[in-house]
Every structure is written in structure tokens, then in C-alpha cells.
Amino acid sequence: MRVLSHCPQNFPFNHLSRQFRTTGLSDHKNVWKLTQQDHGSYWTGYLSTRPKYADSFYDLIYNYHATHSRNRDSPTSLSVAHDVGAGPGHVAEKLAAKFSHVVVSDNNASHLEYAKRFLSRSGIPQSSFSYVSSRAEELSLKDPGKAGSADLVACALTFPLLDTLPALHSFHTLLRPGGTLAIWFYGRAHFAEPEYARSCQPLLDEIIDNHYAGVIQGHGSEHLAQWKCVAERIACWLDYIPFSETEWANVTRYKWNTSWAGLAFFTERACGCPLDALPSETKQGEIVIEQEDRKMWEMSWDINELREFVKFIFPFERMDDEPVRPLWEKLEREVGSGQQRLFSWPAVLILATKK
């Protein structure tokens, strides 16, 4: 484990994506949004193939809050959590075990519909949840009465799609003084066993890149620039997120497995153009903790289960395996037919306290 302290650095910006660096994907072009017809089948596959966040991961968030919250001695100090970009509701379910009430928000009504169904089967009283359909950047405008109401704002796998400064302002407004903001993101699955990582990971990366290339390329420069912007934000391990010292304190950035191929779900090969290094907004005094952990959210898959992960890694409109058939065949030979292999994940968690 390394504990580091970083100062901001300056890197060049690429002209193509400069205009999109501070904005999220526009609503009508947000390819993460699912239709009414496909959201159920997609989320079922998504939940079955994504890592299960360990209790120790949530404990990092809860222990941080217990240490830094002004309200830690109050019986209401863990009363309200807000799950932003909730998707299928699996994070909200975990938060409800710790908080008396969880606000579940998403900008897609079909996501919220699935989350309601998912949470209704959780055994948790449904009065523990409320639902808000809103863009993350506008949450504090939807109901001004909710300002300062949340002890925790959690934003999983969503922040790189958001308009950075408006989203931070929205979350800051939602939190009560001393409240905790938790932002996290993880990348594509990686072969955890070194002998398979060397031979198999490049094949898996090429397969995934092929599918993403069909989504990213061939739809015009604006579409490409939006994807490039998001990819560059993820590639820098979310260090582009700036925390104003007048509004935030105790900023802590956890990073797992930074020596691996990267945090993104795809490489620059899928974009068909170079990805530029973004300037780090990590400030002197922030804590950066880097850990190498090949057992991070460990999964055990055979080749068929790995295919399912790729199938549900993204809501692809069409996933044509024909161009990558030779890669799958070679990967199956390397993995071994019917053999289980271990997989783990690169991940980042950012914690900050509202002043």
C-alpha cells in the first residue's frame, strides 16, 4: 500500500474533446439509458455478471463518515443516504441496511421502475425508500427543501458521465454539514492469476474493444468527442475531479490495482484515436492510498461465464461476435474449456466531507 500526496499537474488538452470536458453526455445521446423494453433483461444480466461490493468496501465509507461527520455522536447521524444514478438499486439495498432512509435517484424512469421492483423483493420495508427522477446535476433544484438533508451521497459508476462542477455543487447542496460524499468507479474484469493475465488479458481487451468500437466510432465527431471525454476522465482514475478547499475537507482517494491495464472498460483502440492525459486536480493535503489486491471483489468464471460478462458489460444494441470469433477460440484454449479462472478489478473510491 502506498500513501501519496499529489499536487496539480498540467497536461495538454486535445481540441476534439475540449468543449465536452466539463459536460456530461446529453440526455438524448446518453447511450447508457435503457428503453422500457430492454431494461429488465439487461439489469438481470448486469447484476449477475458484475462484482459484488464487499462489506469491507462499504465499511471504508461508513468508518470515514464516523470519523469525519460533525453529527457522528447524534442518533440521526446515519439517517439519510442518497444513491445517485442508482441503476438497478443494488447499492440502495446495501445502504438501507445502515441508513433509516435511502433516496433512490436516476435520470431514467425505466431504471427507477426496475429499482423499485428489485428493492420490493429485498425484504426491506418499502417506506425506507423514496424515488426521484432527475439528472444528478439538478437534484438540488428539484426539491429545494431537501437541501442539507443527506448524511451520505453515494455516486457509483456515474460521475464521469456528469457535468463535473454542477454535479459537485448539487451533491454539496444535498449534504448536511459534515456529510460524506462517496464517488466510486471500477473498470473491466482482469485475470487475477499472473500466468493467465499475461496471455489472456490482451485477448479479452481486444474482444471488448471490438464491441465498444461499434458504439463509439462512425457516428460523427461530436459523438466521438463525448465518448473520448468520458474515457479520459476514467483513464486518469477520476483525478480530474476538483474539490474546492472552501467547500470540501478530508478528501481521500483510494485506488486499487493501478499497475493493471487501466480503469476504463475499453482502451483507446475502441475510440480509434489517442486518449489524452487530463490534468490532475489532486491537491496538496489530500490523501491518496494505492493498493495492489488481486482478490479485489474476486470472481471465479469459466469461459461461458466470461462471455456473459462481456455480453452485459454495456447495453450494446448489437453484439456481433463474428469478427472476434478467432479471439474467443484462442482465449478458450488459453483458459481451458470448462476451467474456472479468477478475476478481479481495478477500482477507485473518493471520499470527501462537506464543510
Side-chain angles (χ1 to χ4, degrees), residues 301-310 328 332 337-339:
W301 289 331
D302 62 20
I303 192 69
N304 292 324
E305 290 167 317
L306 182 58
R307 282 180 179 271
E308 285 295 291
F309 164 72
V310 174
W328 275 118
E332 183 169 7
S337 180
Q339 299 298 308

Side-chain angles (χ1 to χ4, degrees), residues 20-53:
F20 299 104
R21 290 184 182 277
T22 59
T23 61
L25 293 175
S26 60
D27 190 57
H28 70 286
K29 294 183 178 178
N30 188 345
V31 290
W32 285 99
K33 295 187 71 174
L34 306 178
T35 68
Q36 184 74 18
Q37 289 72 35
D38 65 12
H39 75 275
S41 60
Y42 174 74
W43 286 128
T44 299
Y46 176 100
L47 290 171
S48 69
T49 58
R50 292 300 183 99
K52 309 300 185 287
Y53 303 137

Side-chain angles (χ1 to χ4, degrees), residues 216-232:
I216 297 170
Q217 299 182 40
H219 301 285
S221 60
E222 180 178 342
H223 179 88
L224 173 60
Q226 290 177 321
W227 273 99
K228 178 176 165 65
C229 167
V230 173
E232 290 171 348

Side-chain angles (χ1 to χ4, degrees), residues 120-134:
S120 71
R121 300 190 294 266
S122 67
I124 301 170
Q126 293 308 289
S127 58
S128 300
F129 303 103
S130 58
Y131 299 88
V132 178
S133 179
S134 172

Side-chain angles (χ1 to χ4, degrees), residues 230-303:
V230 173
E232 290 171 348
R233 291 172 172 183
I234 297 168
C236 74
W237 295 79
L238 276 56
D239 281 346
Y240 75 94
I241 302 176
F243 289 92
S244 166
E245 293 171 291
T246 63
E247 296 182 330
W248 302 98
N250 311 311
V251 177
T252 303
R253 301 174 187 256
Y254 289 92
K255 302 176 184 180
W256 290 271
N257 300 319
T258 57
S259 66
W260 290 4
L263 187 65
F265 280 95
F266 52 85
T267 75
E268 67 180 18
R269 175 173 51 201
C271 293
C273 62
L275 299 180
D276 302 317
L278 295 188
S280 172
E281 294 290 347
T282 305
K283 297 177 175 61
Q284 189 71 35
E286 294 184 6
I287 297 173
V288 180
I289 302 173
E290 296 187 4
Q291 303 178 49
E292 294 297 311
D293 183 1
R294 289 185 174 269
K295 293 186 176 295
M296 181 74 174
W297 304 332
E298 187 177 73
M299 307 285 279
S300 179
W301 289 331
D302 62 20
I303 192 69

